Amino acid sequence: MKQYYLLFLLVFSLSIHGQTVEKSLILKDSETNLPIEDVTVYILKTKQSLLSNSDGKVTFMLNGSSNIQVTHSSYLKVTVRSSALQKTDNVIYLKSNVNDLDEIIVTKQHPQKILKNIVENSTKKLTVPARLKVYSREFFKMDGHYAYYNDGLMNFQLFGKDKNFKSTILVEQNRSFGLVFDQINSDVLGYNLNDIMQNYYNFKYLEPILESGAKKKYDFLIKAYSSNQDYNVLIVTPMDNNKGLRDDFKIIYDWKKKIIIEVNTTVSPTTIAEVKEKKTIGSKNIYKSIFKSIYRLDGENYYLVSSKEEIGFERIDKNKTTDIEVRNYFVTTNFSNQNYSYKESEVFKDKTLYNKKNTILSDYWNVSGLAATEEEQAIIEQLVDRAN
């Protein structure tokens, strides 16, 4: 009887250990108690990457135990053990590493020259060929009302080298909901998937501050990261006498390995206020523009982890103005340096998922690496109801 009892305990223990359970983390600032967005959470066992939403939350499924790395450029890195997590929401407090007194670094070379070298080296270091499993999500708003939603799970096969990166796309699942009006150009909707990876891997968004005349239009400043001696921050801001809509840039880079870790660009309210309003039919008056991309170095592998883009503008139409806002997310949930097999007929060649028929095989959005907030989920459900 004792043997049967021991056998039962062993089987029960293995059964519990082998169960796949849902875990969730809520990342908060240790001083303000506010949620932290864009925290990268990396599950070592499954090599899955996740990104915290605006509620600071990430959700994932895990079989067994694993170390979990929690990183954000403005906070100290934390590693937790999954076995220490409860089944419900687990709050993890991160300590800020932002220091307004970070040392300003004086260099012999102009900071733009340093940036050019870092971009060139980063482009060479990015791991190619590689396969990225990517989750993309888009919200589209017109005249204050959400009119369209799209998300999809895709595989990007990257090949080529340096500035000749190419990609092949296979769409696993996707869905689109909502109303799209005739007066909205489909080019406004969604990433151009044909060149999006090339843009990220060539750091196209930095081109305005890499061109030869940029030193006359922008101020360049390099600061040290007080809590991470391997990182520097390059801050680039438009000069006061600069005319036109120009971004503020913040580039975090590993100065030892000479690779980019994070790129942030935004058009400041001050810059927007100084730009002359356009009145020509078809022109756009931008009032919001935000971009952020995060890259990860994992051993010998260096690749894009995530990106976020937001843009808001008023388009001048014949008899009215149309207010348009687009919010896009792009998250690499899994990375591999192995190629995948496919048929040529399976390759996705359109610019966006906008016109692709819905293919829903599972609730992939729940394990996508980017959990929807309650507000976002309410928007999605509203558009689903409207589409049915």
Side-chain angles (χ1 to χ4, degrees), residues 254-270:
D254 186 317
W255 63 269
K256 289 183 177 180
K257 296 183 173 65
K258 294 182 172 55
I259 58 172
I260 291 174
I261 303 299
E262 184 175 304
V263 175
N264 293 269
T265 74
T266 183
V267 180
S268 71
T270 302

Side-chain angles (χ1 to χ4, degrees), residues 40-254:
T40 300
V41 176
Y42 184 69
I43 316 299
L44 268 71
K45 181 177 182 179
T46 61
K47 300 186 182 301
Q48 182 183 11
S49 296
L50 308 106
L51 197 69
S52 66
N53 60 23
S54 58
D55 292 335
K57 186 174 183 178
V58 297
T59 302
F60 55 95
M61 306 297 293
L62 187 62
N63 186 327
S65 60
S66 173
N67 280 343
I68 301 171
Q69 294 178 348
V70 180
T71 57
H72 189 288
S73 60
S74 298
Y75 293 86
L76 297 177
K77 179 180 177 180
V78 173
T79 300
V80 297
R81 188 72 177 168
S82 62
S83 56
L85 304 177
Q86 304 298 318
K87 289 186 178 180
T88 53
D89 293 341
N90 302 271
V91 179
I92 295 180
Y93 292 95
L94 302 183
K95 185 177 180 180
S96 175
N97 64 16
V98 174
N99 186 350
D100 292 335
L101 300 179
D102 283 342
E103 176 188 0
I104 295 176
I105 296 177
V106 179
T107 60
K108 293 181 179 179
Q109 286 186 321
H110 190 280
Q112 190 202 40
K113 177 64 176 177
I114 293 173
L115 177 60
K116 286 182 177 180
N117 292 336
I118 292 168
V119 169
E120 182 179 355
N121 189 65
S122 297
T123 303
K124 291 179 179 179
K125 291 288 186 180
L126 283 161
T127 304
V128 177
R131 183 177 76 236
L132 276 64
K133 184 181 286 291
V134 170
Y135 173 72
S136 69
R137 174 187 294 167
E138 176 186 40
F139 291 91
F140 177 88
K141 197 174 185 180
M142 190 178 76
D143 290 334
H145 301 285
Y146 285 97
Y148 172 77
Y149 172 81
N150 166 266
D151 68 10
L153 192 62
M154 297 169 282
N155 282 296
F156 282 78
Q157 177 67 55
L158 304 181
F159 55 96
K161 193 169 180 60
D162 294 350
K163 294 190 176 182
N164 293 314
F165 290 117
K166 304 291 182 182
S167 63
T168 299
I169 308 170
L170 299 182
V171 178
E172 289 189 9
Q173 302 187 61
N174 70 288
R175 57 178 182 165
S176 299
F177 301 114
L179 302 176
V180 180
F181 300 87
D182 292 338
Q183 65 265 39
I184 300 301
N185 190 323
S186 61
D187 288 341
V188 175
L189 301 173
Y191 294 103
N192 184 341
L193 298 175
N194 290 324
D195 59 17
I196 190 67
M197 279 300 180
Q198 290 91 316
N199 291 342
Y200 289 138
Y201 274 50
N202 289 327
F203 299 95
K204 182 179 179 180
Y205 300 93
L206 296 179
E207 285 182 354
I209 57 175
L210 294 173
E211 60 185 22
S212 57
K215 288 187 285 187
K216 297 180 180 180
K217 301 175 183 177
Y218 294 89
D219 289 317
F220 292 76
L221 178 68
I222 297 179
K223 287 187 174 184
Y225 237 21
S226 58
S227 62
N228 191 330
Q229 60 181 4
D230 294 331
Y231 288 0
N232 283 345
V233 184
L234 203 159
I235 300 170
V236 186
T237 54
M239 293 181 177
D240 292 338
N241 60 352
N242 190 20
K243 296 181 180 180
L245 200 66
R246 302 192 186 279
D247 293 271
D248 287 43
F249 294 81
K250 178 183 176 183
I251 301 106
I252 300 172
Y253 64 95
D254 186 317

Side-chain angles (χ1 to χ4, degrees), residues 289-311:
S289 178
I290 301 170
F291 168 77
K292 181 176 184 177
S293 62
I294 301 173
Y295 297 82
R296 176 180 176 82
L297 178 64
D298 182 15
E300 295 298 319
N301 295 318
Y302 175 48
Y303 58 94
L304 174 76
V305 170
S306 66
S307 75
K308 179 174 66 175
E309 298 186 47
E310 295 184 43
I311 187 167

Side-chain angles (χ1 to χ4, degrees), residues 348-366:
F348 182 76
K349 297 181 179 180
D350 290 345
K351 289 184 178 180
T352 75
L353 295 176
Y354 167 54
N355 288 320
K356 183 172 174 57
K357 183 179 179 181
N358 285 5
T359 304
I360 303 173
L361 306 176
S362 66
D363 56 347
Y364 63 91
W365 47 88
N366 288 331

